[in-house]
Amino acid sequence: MTTISNATIAPQQNDLWAEAKREPSSIESPPLVRTPSTTVTLTDKNLIDTDFYSQLEQRIANNAQQKWELPLSDYASNLMARNFNGHSNANRFLGLGGAMLERFKSPPADFKQSVTEIGPQATKAAIDLEKGTINLNIKTQSGVSIELKLSNQGDRLAAEVKTNGELTAAEQTAMSQLAKGFETTIQNLLAKPPHAEIDALMKFDTTQLAALDLTTNFANKNGETMAFELHANENHREIQLQTPQGKMSVNVNFQQAAALGNAQQREKAISQYLKQFDHAGERGKPNAEMLSLFKTVFSGLHKNHPSDAIALLNAPPQAKALNDLEQAVLTGLGDFQADLTMKPTSPNPRKTLEMDHFSFQLKQKTSILGKTSITQK
């Protein structure tokens, strides 16, 4: 069912800057010096501040100081030292999420570190720079909880990983395999314009990881925020995204396992739905960036879902025996509800009380009762 209403009508982790190896005996760093030890390679212009090096030289000129919570004796801490020279969320978080999950290759994975700006630049950094938080919570099939926190407060950068139990070897592998997908998701959200490419993250191993929850909140220099939430397990996936332009939510349920089609069937159905989104956009004229994000989120949640074998294993017996004809008349997608609402605007300067609104809703519900009744609407 579709409802439309409108009125008035992956960069490499060590490519940006040398790792800046420091003596672990001193927690408070000395003044920065202009002595890079490796050639700098900028791999993604959307993720790198254009004035990154001018900012670095300004900090050198001002004898900027950094106070560290713990000595710089590991790769992740040195990565934070490199990133702290940048001023944007994209630079501050660059490679850090992936590095945290890579730690699960060689336990213990628990980690805690922070760096704080001190001196005359600290107050200005706290006020003027971008800020953001990233929280990733995962529960394994054996019941262990993992919490990953990244925080950029302008004058402070912090990272922490906590586990409340011992992971199996297979769970450790599943966690480390998330590194690339997690890092890519964060980089895409922080790109300009932002993207919501979640395909790699949605391929997490549901045989080892029971649930994944990701929340981010990023604020630019003007204080405008973008809030993103992703919740996923083997039967349900949901994304909510809010920006200054509007908000969206896409909720997908995979519990009707027999209704799930193969990749080709799903691709065809996704393509048809994306055309509906485009037609709604042509009529209602929503923000183009938000519509693009909406399409990417919808596609990403449906493209990658728990394998048919796992889904069918958990399905009730009466729901496992659809024949080819019955399957062919269905979309092959999990049931869903998708909503996109734009912030009201007043495009006519002569009639400021005249507002434009855009709201789009789409949903699918499948009912399978034995072998005699199948409905999808």
Side-chain angles (χ1 to χ4, degrees):
M1 180 175 71
T2 306
T3 304
I4 307 173
S5 64
N6 48 306
T8 316
I9 279 260
Q12 296 297 314
Q13 293 179 341
N14 60 354
D15 282 347
L16 180 60
W17 191 256
E19 286 189 8
K21 299 290 186 182
R22 304 171 188 232
E23 292 297 327
S25 59
S26 176
I27 295 179
E28 184 172 312
S29 68
L32 297 174
V33 292
R34 195 182 294 110
T35 56
S37 60
T38 189
T39 301
V40 176
T41 303
L42 301 180
T43 57
D44 190 333
K45 64 181 180 181
N46 290 324
L47 295 174
I48 306 301
D49 289 336
T50 55
D51 58 343
F52 177 86
Y53 297 104
S54 65
Q55 294 165 359
L56 177 58
E57 294 205 359
Q58 183 180 3
R59 297 182 69 227
I60 294 171
N62 291 330
N63 289 323
Q65 297 280 330
Q66 301 170 359
K67 184 175 182 179
W68 290 84
E69 182 175 351
L70 296 169
L72 280 72
S73 57
D74 56 86
Y75 173 76
S77 295
N78 283 295
L79 187 61
M80 292 173 66
R82 180 202 72 178
N83 289 4
F84 202 55
N85 293 323
H87 282 191
S88 69
N89 281 318
N91 283 149
R92 290 287 176 93
F93 292 127
L94 183 62
L96 200 52
M100 294 296 101
L101 293 182
E102 288 281 353
R103 294 178 59 84
F104 284 89
K105 287 183 176 179
S106 302
D110 285 18
F111 176 86
K112 188 177 183 182
Q113 180 65 284
S114 67
V115 54
T116 304
E117 185 92 57
I118 59 176
Q121 291 295 103
T123 301
K124 181 176 175 59
I127 296 174
D128 295 344
L129 300 186
E130 293 185 357
K131 300 173 180 65
T133 58
I134 300 170
N135 294 292
L136 178 66
N137 292 277
I138 294 174
K139 192 162 193 175
T140 70
Q141 293 290 0
S142 68
V144 178
S145 295
I146 300 105
E147 185 177 14
L148 186 159
K149 295 181 179 180
L150 304 176
S151 174
N152 169 35
Q153 298 305 317
D155 63 340
R156 185 174 186 270
L157 179 64
E160 183 176 7
V161 178
K162 293 191 300 184
T163 59
N164 71 349
E166 185 174 347
L167 280 68
T168 67
E171 289 171 345
Q172 292 171 11
T173 299
M175 286 295 300
S176 64
Q177 288 175 343
L178 276 177
K180 184 177 181 180
F182 178 52
E183 180 65 28
T184 300
T185 298
I186 298 304
Q187 290 179 9
N188 279 318
L189 288 173
L190 290 171
K192 297 181 180 179
H195 305 291
E197 298 289 346
I198 57 169
D199 291 17
L201 187 60
M202 288 296 90
K203 293 177 181 178
F204 70 94
D205 186 354
T206 56
T207 66
Q208 302 301 324
L209 307 180
L212 180 153
D213 296 284
L214 170 64
T215 61
T216 71
N217 194 297
F218 303 122
N220 62 21
K221 295 179 181 180
N222 299 322
E224 296 175 329
T225 62
M226 178 178 71
F228 175 87
E229 293 185 20
L230 184 155
H231 308 284
N233 56 44
E234 64 180 9
N235 292 320
H236 172 254
R237 297 191 177 172
E238 177 182 7
I239 283 181
Q240 297 184 36
L241 177 65
Q242 184 164 349
T243 75
Q245 290 74 40
K247 61 183 179 180
M248 69 182 71
S249 66
V250 181
N251 190 318
V252 183
N253 191 314
F254 300 117
Q255 288 184 315
Q256 284 287 11
L260 301 178
N262 57 37
Q264 184 177 6
Q265 185 181 13
R266 294 196 304 270
E267 284 285 353
K268 183 178 179 180
I270 291 170
S271 178
Q272 292 300 317
Y273 279 124
L274 295 184
K275 289 179 181 178
Q276 290 189 44
F277 299 168
D278 287 333
H279 292 158
E282 291 171 2
R283 297 195 300 274
K285 301 296 188 292
N287 176 272
E289 184 178 295
M290 286 292 286
L291 181 60
S292 177
L293 284 168
F294 187 57
K295 292 168 63 177
T296 305
V297 165
F298 181 86
S299 178
L301 287 180
H302 281 292
K303 278 184 180 179
N304 302 289
H305 60 64
S307 69
D308 291 348
I310 294 174
L312 286 173
L313 182 65
N314 297 322
Q318 67 270 22
K320 298 181 181 180
L322 295 187
N323 60 42
D324 291 344
L325 179 60
E326 292 168 333
Q327 182 65 57
V329 300
L330 303 177
T331 65
L333 302 179
D335 288 341
F336 65 86
Q337 179 159 342
D339 304 273
L340 173 63
T341 302
M342 302 305 305
K343 181 180 178 180
T345 59
S346 179
N348 189 342
R350 295 185 178 183
K351 297 182 179 181
T352 56
L353 296 179
E354 186 178 89
M355 306 295 290
D356 281 4
H357 300 263
F358 178 89
S359 179
F360 177 82
Q361 298 88 36
L362 184 70
K363 66 181 181 179
Q364 172 186 292
K365 176 67 175 177
T366 305
S367 297
I368 302 176
L369 301 176
K371 298 181 180 180
T372 59
S373 178
I374 304 173
T375 60
Q376 188 172 75
K377 60 182 180 178

